[in-house]
Amino acid sequence: MKEGTSMEESGPILILFKCSKAKDASRGVFDAPGLWKDCPKTHEKIIRSRAAFIGHAKDKSPSISLGTEMIQASALRLYTGKFYEMLKKQGVLSNIEDQIATGALRCGIVSGGFGLLDASEPVGEYEAPMQKAATLWREKDVDLNDVMASLLLELKPRRVIGFLGQVQHYWGFLKRGVHLATQRGLSTSAVNFYVPNLPQGFQAIEPEGNALGECCARMLAEGKWAIDEKMQSQISFMEWCQTKWKWVTQGLKEGPAAQESISGT
């Protein structure tokens, strides 16, 4: 394999969320440098992918509607599903916006309608369930897997955390993106990917139906990628195994990797 491109020790932490069906474009925008400022080549790639996606959607999935609404909100504010409402309730959304502004954090949203959105990217309300859109995002001229790999290679984050839930369509793009990026020279020696995931039937147990939102909120509020004992019993994760070139699924554990400070201190 060719010489690797290591993740930067000083690079930002990249967090990835999934979109939600519930949306509210009246929540306004925030202006902050984000993924596309840091990754202009990946931005060009996702713009081309979105254009190709629209063409495929017209032919193969006419129920997908990206909307023409003039009112737009930053992607991080647009979505109002339970996960996002939990983050808003605990003041975490404003915390994320602040960290994006300082450059400590980058946030992307895996979207059925737009593939990958930067958190500050303005977008209107749309209808594109990932269950219908996922196949189109795997088309050769669209290829969201390739976009994800490009993002990792260009941004070189020191850590990637995906709060992508139970639906494989979302976290599958991250998994395949990691494989592609590794094949293209991203060094595995500094890669440590977590994808917290709800066990089957867990939403019926959690009072607010949102263990994943609580997990993310606690991590960000406490400033460390660590989980208390309650969350350990309710959340699992998939971690990139650096030596075996494969993903392993297990319960969250304590340790140096989990305890790393969000600010890098």
Side-chain angles (χ1 to χ4, degrees), residues 187-200:
S187 172
T188 59
S189 62
V191 177
N192 192 5
F193 289 80
Y194 292 85
V195 186
N197 185 41
L198 293 175
Q200 287 288 340

Side-chain angles (χ1 to χ4, degrees), residues 95 215-228 261-262:
N95 178 302
C215 170
C216 180
R218 289 187 185 187
M219 284 182 170
L220 287 163
E222 294 172 5
K224 292 182 181 294
W225 299 115
I227 290 290
D228 62 22
S261 169
I262 289 175

Side-chain angles (χ1 to χ4, degrees), residues 125-158:
E125 296 181 24
Y126 64 93
E127 184 65 29
M130 184 59 88
Q131 287 84 346
K132 294 182 179 180
T135 300
L136 303 182
W137 284 112
R138 290 193 289 268
E139 292 280 355
K140 186 175 181 180
D141 59 343
V142 178
D143 203 352
L144 186 56
N145 300 319
D146 181 63
V147 171
M148 195 70 73
S150 175
L151 174 69
L152 299 175
L153 288 163
E154 193 171 8
L155 184 64
K156 299 182 181 66
R158 71 175 182 273

Side-chain angles (χ1 to χ4, degrees), residues 16-17 19 36 42 45-50 52-53 109-117 130 133-152 164 168-178 180-181 184:
L16 295 170
F17 298 153
C19 61
W36 307 144
T42 304
K45 190 182 292 284
I46 190 62
I47 292 299
R48 291 194 299 269
S49 292
R50 289 173 185 173
F53 171 84
I109 298 171
V110 181
S111 159
F114 295 90
L116 181 65
L117 286 161
M130 184 59 88
T135 300
L136 303 182
W137 284 112
R138 290 193 289 268
E139 292 280 355
K140 186 175 181 180
D141 59 343
V142 178
D143 203 352
L144 186 56
N145 300 319
D146 181 63
V147 171
M148 195 70 73
S150 175
L151 174 69
L152 299 175
L164 299 170
Q168 184 175 357
H169 294 310
Y170 290 101
W171 51 258
F173 289 114
L174 173 58
K175 289 180 68 177
R176 289 184 288 271
V178 173
L180 285 173
R184 295 172 186 176

Side-chain angles (χ1 to χ4, degrees), residues 14-179:
L14 172 63
I15 55 174
L16 295 170
F17 298 153
K18 65 188 257 337
C19 61
S20 73
K21 181 177 180 179
K23 305 173 184 71
D24 182 357
S26 69
R27 291 190 167 190
V29 298
F30 69 95
D31 185 18
L35 293 179
W36 307 144
K37 180 179 182 296
D38 294 341
C39 305
K41 292 181 181 178
T42 304
H43 190 203
E44 292 176 4
K45 190 182 292 284
I46 190 62
I47 292 299
R48 291 194 299 269
S49 292
R50 289 173 185 173
F53 171 84
I54 291 172
H56 288 299
K58 288 179 179 179
D59 295 335
K60 300 177 181 179
S61 190
S63 62
I64 290 177
S65 173
L66 300 187
T68 57
E69 289 80 1
M70 297 298 293
I71 300 176
Q72 295 183 320
S74 291
L76 187 62
R77 297 181 180 182
L78 174 70
Y79 300 105
T80 59
K82 290 182 179 179
F83 173 80
Y84 290 92
E85 290 303 287
M86 173 69 79
L87 299 188
K88 184 180 179 182
K89 175 182 176 182
Q90 300 198 23
V92 174
L93 290 182
S94 58
N95 178 302
I96 294 173
E97 292 180 13
D98 291 343
Q99 292 198 54
I100 290 173
T102 66
L105 195 69
R106 289 292 177 256
C107 178
I109 298 171
V110 181
S111 159
F114 295 90
L116 181 65
L117 286 161
D118 176 58
S120 63
E121 187 172 353
V123 61
E125 296 181 24
Y126 64 93
E127 184 65 29
M130 184 59 88
Q131 287 84 346
K132 294 182 179 180
T135 300
L136 303 182
W137 284 112
R138 290 193 289 268
E139 292 280 355
K140 186 175 181 180
D141 59 343
V142 178
D143 203 352
L144 186 56
N145 300 319
D146 181 63
V147 171
M148 195 70 73
S150 175
L151 174 69
L152 299 175
L153 288 163
E154 193 171 8
L155 184 64
K156 299 182 181 66
R158 71 175 182 273
R159 183 174 298 281
V160 177
I161 312 291
F163 296 94
L164 299 170
Q166 206 170 19
V167 179
Q168 184 175 357
H169 294 310
Y170 290 101
W171 51 258
F173 289 114
L174 173 58
K175 289 180 68 177
R176 289 184 288 271
V178 173
H179 280 279

